[in-house]
Amino acid sequence: MGKNNENHAEKVEEYKKYIQEHKGNVKKIWDDYCENNKSDPFVWNDYDYHALNHAINTHDDSKLESFEFHGYRQWFFTSNTDTKNEDRFKSAWNHHQKNNPHHWEYWVLVPTLEPLHMPVFFTFEMLVDWSAMSLKFKDLPSVFYAKNKEKMILHKKTISDIEDYLPCFDACVKRIQSKGGE
């Protein structure tokens, strides 16, 4: 295999590893939340627990599908045979947002940009996602939210749900970070 092909294959493997690391961090946050919030009636409703557990276990699986995989990989894990293609990346990102209701962008009505209420189930998965990224980047989901909330188009009830749950997810991240987990 030529040097260029080896580099490309390495970048593909690096991106797969990144996805698996993120999915692992999502699971760590979920496990910590479940362990430390046993009185949360939303999570422990039998339907919600099993549905959320399934959502956590399949979180971001669409990033492994060809369309999203190649668009993201060539943008973030560029090989020496790649030319970064912004349109390809934006198409992959748009596809991901519009096919994964744990992203707030999924809940924005186009073309009016009217925010729809994001059901708490999906808000919860979004917060798990933010928390997993906080493990990676060594901050807190509340820090991410504070930096980005002005750019987000959110329904007032969704804002309330986010702000109600953020302290719990900050606590999850802090506990995992204190154990040296990332």
Side-chain angles (χ1 to χ4, degrees):
M1 184 183 291
K3 187 174 181 173
N4 287 342
N5 288 340
E6 287 175 12
N7 177 263
H8 182 81
E10 287 172 13
K11 294 300 180 178
V12 166
E13 289 307 311
E14 282 181 45
Y15 183 52
K16 286 180 184 176
K17 183 179 174 186
Y18 172 83
I19 294 169
Q20 292 310 314
E21 176 188 13
H22 178 63
K23 289 173 67 69
N25 284 343
V26 164
K27 184 78 169 115
K28 283 180 190 177
I29 295 293
W30 171 241
D31 290 345
D32 184 90
Y33 189 89
C34 290
E35 179 65 29
N36 292 286
N37 294 280
K38 293 184 179 188
S39 63
D40 183 342
F42 170 71
V43 171
W44 297 108
N45 164 305
D46 192 46
Y47 167 79
D48 291 324
Y49 173 78
H50 291 293
L52 270 167
N53 198 50
H54 176 75
I56 296 304
N57 287 319
T58 59
H59 180 82
D60 277 357
D61 279 355
S62 67
K63 286 186 178 176
L64 295 167
E65 295 170 8
S66 182
F67 184 78
E68 287 185 25
F69 185 89
H70 297 296
Y72 276 93
R73 203 270 321 142
Q74 62 86 35
W75 190 255
F76 293 111
F77 293 83
T78 309
S79 74
N80 56 16
T81 61
D82 287 323
T83 300
K84 279 191 173 188
N85 183 320
E86 186 173 11
D87 287 340
R88 188 175 189 187
F89 166 68
K90 285 180 176 180
S91 292
W93 176 225
N94 184 62
H95 183 272
H96 185 72
Q97 293 170 5
K98 299 302 184 204
N99 288 279
N100 290 280
H102 69 271
H103 287 278
W104 64 265
E105 295 91 342
Y106 182 97
W107 300 95
V108 176
L109 190 60
V110 176
T112 61
L113 301 183
E114 175 188 350
L116 304 174
H117 174 242
M118 188 174 184
V120 70
F121 178 96
F122 298 114
T123 302
F124 196 91
E125 186 183 355
M126 179 176 69
L127 290 169
V128 171
D129 189 29
W130 293 357
S131 299
M133 294 305 294
S134 291
L135 288 177
K136 176 76 176 165
F137 295 108
K138 299 182 181 2
D139 63 6
L140 295 171
S142 60
V143 171
F144 170 82
Y145 179 64
K147 286 180 187 174
N148 292 285
K149 67 182 175 183
E150 295 304 318
K151 300 177 218 165
M152 297 177 183
I153 302 169
L154 299 167
H155 189 276
K156 62 183 177 186
K157 175 68 171 111
T158 304
I159 292 169
S160 175
D161 292 340
I162 289 169
E163 292 175 357
D164 285 349
Y165 275 102
L166 265 176
C168 297
F169 285 100
D170 279 357
C172 291
V173 171
K174 288 176 184 177
R175 277 190 295 272
I176 294 168
Q177 287 172 336
S178 74
K179 295 176 191 172
E182 139 182 41

